[in-house]
Amino acid sequence: MIKFTNVFKAFPKGGLALKDVSFHIAKGEFVFLTGHSGAGKSTVLKLVFAEEPVTSGEVRVSGFNVAELRRKDVPMLRRRLGIVFQDFRLLEDRSAEENVAFALEVTGARRSTIPARVMRVLTQVGLAAKAQAYPRELSGGEQQRVAIARALVNEPTVLLADEPTGNLDERATRGVFQLLRDINASGTAVLMATHDLDLVRQAPYRVIELQEGALVYDSVVDEPRDQAASP
Amino acid sequence: MNLTIREALLTFRRAPLLSALSVTTIAFSLFVVGLFGLVAVNLQDALRGVAERVEIVAYLLPGTPIETITLAEKDIEAFPEVQSAVYVSEDSALTRARGELVEFRDVLQELERNPLPASIELKLRPRFRDAQHVNEVADRLRGFGFVDDVRFGRDWVEKLDRLRQVAAAVGLVVGAAFAVVAIIIIGTTIRMAVLQRSREIAIMRLVGATDGFIRRPFLLQGAIKGLLGGLVAMGLAYGAYTLINRWLIQAAFFSKEQAVAIVGFGTLIGLFGSAASVGRHLRRV
């Protein structure tokens, strides 16, 4: 599903962001990506969705060889992924349902199928009643749910979440995290970058920890699964 | 395509102020180009008026038989440069001189013998009214045995030539400068519109929109802004023309083709300006 093999990432102005990182995430897995700020969590995600080029090594995502992906093929990769950010990245001048529909429209989905698909994911994230609300009328947790609905509407095989609860209070955090678990339970792999260790401890999922760009801990490799909660 | 149109039009609704500003900027940039165009058009009209007076007169030897002249007149009229060739007999030359040269009327009345030669007066087609062609035609006329002399005001034709060259050069340089300034201003305006939506572009890319999909609404929008700007500019230019005509001088307006060309120029700048701006933006993200 996602496979990093000896991946290095150097930024033109700022040294190595990733040093020889290798891991493999299987279909349907839920994986936490942890580490301090600047450890390289976001960089890993950016390499997965081809926002940044790979410096060396191999990155394979859903059958795409990302390191050799041509620019025109990047959209095809992204349509297989759902991406969620800490800052939601919703279009302020469109309602919740328009934000979600937008993700379908840009991929050229049949127009007649769009409203039903949008409603289905909004129901899934528990926001069907607020479909017509604009982002500014929604709480942080609700906005993140819209963003998740948008990420889900194309039925991705992997959901990437970069600190999805970073801007949320505890209650909203729990809600959004539960939603991600439900999504994973229905078969979508989830790769979630977070530095919220409480959240990590709550669930028996695999943990990959980065430190200064190097992979220093992988619960599947280093420890039995049931002890993964204390990296 | 449907979506492209919807997205392009939505921008006008979502950012009406910026859109209006873009159209206004484009309109005034093109208006300046248009005003200069009006000056150029009128200058050309004036030059054309002057050039219409370019005339070649071939004076004939006395006693040339009229049949020879008639045949020659046909030949001359068949020259590709010649618009008309008119035979003026000795008698009609005298009559005309009496009419035109009032102060010499008495002298001309008392003549025992008509001193004026017969002639053929030529007018050239508009695009041949320059020194080179006039000289060529004059040389050919001299080749006829019965032609005594050929006159065409050489200095004057050469001056006219120079004037035309200066007008063309100034028109080209100043016109190009105005056009470049318009392109820069319009390009900047469009760039603002693209930057204003950079967040939206980033999100579109994130959810898997292709570059083409992102680009199309901007191209359409740019073209619409250019078109509207061009139309407003034409309206302003017509207003200016009306005022000039009423208060200053009798001037000419653009022909339909020229007006369409200016509006088309605006549309194209809008289109290509958008293409360049979005292209540059997409390459960077």
Side-chain angles (χ1 to χ4, degrees):
Chain A
M1 181 95 322
I2 299 180
K3 191 172 184 198
F4 275 49
T5 312
N6 306 116
V7 174
F8 285 81
K9 172 64 189 173
F11 285 109
K13 286 176 190 164
L16 279 177
L18 291 181
K19 297 169 199 160
D20 199 13
V21 172
S22 301
F23 62 84
H24 177 229
I25 295 173
K27 208 169 168 183
E29 225 180 331
F30 193 120
V31 178
F32 284 117
L33 193 58
T34 65
H36 295 293
S37 307
K41 304 188 297 285
S42 295
T43 306
V44 166
L45 295 183
K46 282 179 180 166
L47 294 188
V48 172
F49 68 89
E51 176 80 359
E52 290 287 346
V54 179
T55 305
S56 79
E58 194 181 64
V59 175
R60 286 193 171 271
V61 179
S62 298
F64 289 88
N65 182 352
V66 178
E68 283 164 18
L69 207 59
R70 282 170 304 178
R71 185 185 165 86
K72 73 178 180 57
D73 294 323
V74 171
M76 305 309 138
L77 165 70
R78 292 187 182 169
R79 290 175 194 185
R80 301 268 193 92
L81 307 172
I83 312 172
V84 177
F85 294 94
Q86 180 173 0
D87 60 354
F88 322 134
R89 305 207 184 166
L90 299 175
L91 295 168
E92 298 296 324
D93 52 9
R94 293 177 205 230
S95 67
E97 63 180 353
E98 284 169 343
N99 265 286
V100 177
F102 190 63
L104 281 176
E105 286 163 354
V106 302
T107 57
R110 279 236 315 278
R111 288 184 71 80
S112 57
T113 66
I114 292 178
R117 290 174 72 180
V118 169
M119 224 41 206
R120 199 174 64 226
V121 285
L122 281 175
T123 308
Q124 192 183 345
V125 302
L127 271 183
K130 297 196 169 176
Q132 262 109 56
Y134 284 83
R136 62 172 180 280
E137 298 163 346
L138 298 171
S139 70
E142 288 169 334
Q143 289 187 54
Q144 192 60 293
R145 283 167 186 274
V146 176
I148 292 171
R150 182 180 64 192
L152 287 181
V153 76
N154 273 313
E155 292 162 15
T157 48
V158 186
L159 186 72
L160 305 175
D162 193 356
E163 302 277 2
T165 59
N167 276 357
L168 305 180
D169 61 27
E170 205 191 324
R171 199 182 134 86
T173 294
R174 263 185 281 135
V176 164
F177 183 50
Q178 188 54 50
L179 179 58
L180 293 176
R181 295 182 74 167
D182 294 346
I183 289 163
N184 175 245
S186 63
T188 308
V190 177
L191 175 57
M192 173 172 170
T194 183
H195 57 249
D196 184 345
L197 295 182
D198 287 342
L199 216 57
V200 174
R201 285 189 200 104
Q202 272 178 38
Y205 296 135
R206 177 179 171 192
V207 178
I208 292 175
E209 188 184 346
L210 294 170
Q211 222 170 64
E212 292 176 1
L215 195 157
V216 294
Y217 175 80
D218 185 337
S219 60
V220 165
V221 179
D222 299 335
E223 283 177 47
R225 182 168 286 261
D226 55 0
Q227 290 172 24
S230 51
Chain B
M1 194 59 208
N2 212 349
L3 198 66
T4 303
I5 295 170
R6 196 195 74 190
E7 287 293 321
L9 295 181
L10 266 182
T11 308
F12 285 103
R13 218 181 60 196
R14 290 212 196 94
L17 201 69
L18 190 67
S19 301
L21 198 70
S22 307
V23 173
T24 313
T25 311
I26 294 172
F28 274 92
S29 307
L30 289 177
F31 175 51
V32 173
V33 175
L35 276 188
F36 173 74
L38 269 186
V39 172
V41 164
N42 279 287
L43 201 64
Q44 252 183 3
D45 265 12
L47 280 173
R48 207 173 298 131
V50 175
E52 244 164 52
R53 307 214 312 249
V54 171
E55 201 181 53
I56 307 174
V57 184
Y59 293 102
L60 310 181
L61 288 169
T64 309
I66 187 73
E67 300 78 30
T68 315
I69 294 170
T70 316
L71 274 176
E73 207 184 332
K74 287 252 156 53
D75 283 353
I76 292 167
E77 259 182 338
F79 287 0
E81 298 93 340
V82 172
Q83 181 176 303
S84 66
V86 178
Y87 170 63
V88 181
S89 67
E90 287 105 333
D91 290 345
S92 37
L94 186 62
T95 314
R96 199 200 282 171
R98 279 183 185 139
E100 284 173 6
L101 306 171
V102 185
E103 50 281 50
F104 296 112
R105 187 172 285 161
D106 295 342
V107 184
L108 291 167
Q109 278 318 351
E110 290 160 17
L111 288 171
E112 290 170 12
R113 197 172 62 80
N114 180 359
L116 298 176
S119 64
I120 298 179
E121 293 178 359
L122 280 75
K123 271 200 186 301
L124 299 189
R125 292 178 195 280
R127 63 197 174 92
F128 295 113
R129 290 169 187 164
D130 57 65
Q132 192 200 336
H133 288 102
V134 169
N135 267 316
E136 280 172 21
V137 173
D139 283 348
R140 238 173 290 153
L141 291 173
R142 284 190 194 98
F144 288 96
F146 53 84
V147 170
D148 183 21
D149 192 9
V150 179
R151 297 272 170 91
F152 58 85
R154 181 187 302 268
D155 281 359
W156 185 74
V157 171
E158 278 167 5
K159 261 185 205 140
L160 181 64
D161 258 17
R162 210 165 311 130
L163 197 61
R164 261 196 292 231
Q165 281 160 6
V166 169
V170 169
L172 199 71
V173 171
V174 179
F178 276 136
V180 166
V181 169
I183 288 172
I184 290 172
I185 292 176
I186 294 170
T188 310
T189 311
I190 288 170
R191 181 118 191 86
M192 269 166 58
V194 172
L195 285 178
Q196 188 226 6
R197 293 183 59 199
S198 59
R199 202 181 127 80
E200 195 173 335
I201 292 175
I203 293 172
M204 286 166 103
R205 284 180 51 79
L206 206 63
V207 295
T210 57
D211 287 352
F213 181 91
I214 296 171
R215 197 179 286 125
R216 280 195 294 271
F218 279 102
L219 298 191
L220 182 62
Q221 209 188 338
I224 292 175
K225 282 179 184 172
L227 178 71
L228 290 178
L231 290 174
V232 173
M234 225 6 85
L236 289 173
Y238 191 77
Y241 155 78
T242 313
L243 287 179
I244 290 169
N245 244 0
R246 182 175 305 161
W247 303 109
L248 295 171
I249 52 162
Q250 200 65 33
F253 194 62
F254 297 116
S255 67
K256 199 180 285 172
E257 291 77 16
Q258 287 164 331
V260 168
I262 291 181
V263 175
F265 176 63
T267 311
L268 286 180
I269 299 181
L271 185 69
F272 289 115
S274 296
S277 281
V278 184
R280 212 167 70 179
H281 189 79
L282 283 176
R283 273 196 301 279
R284 283 194 330 192
V285 293

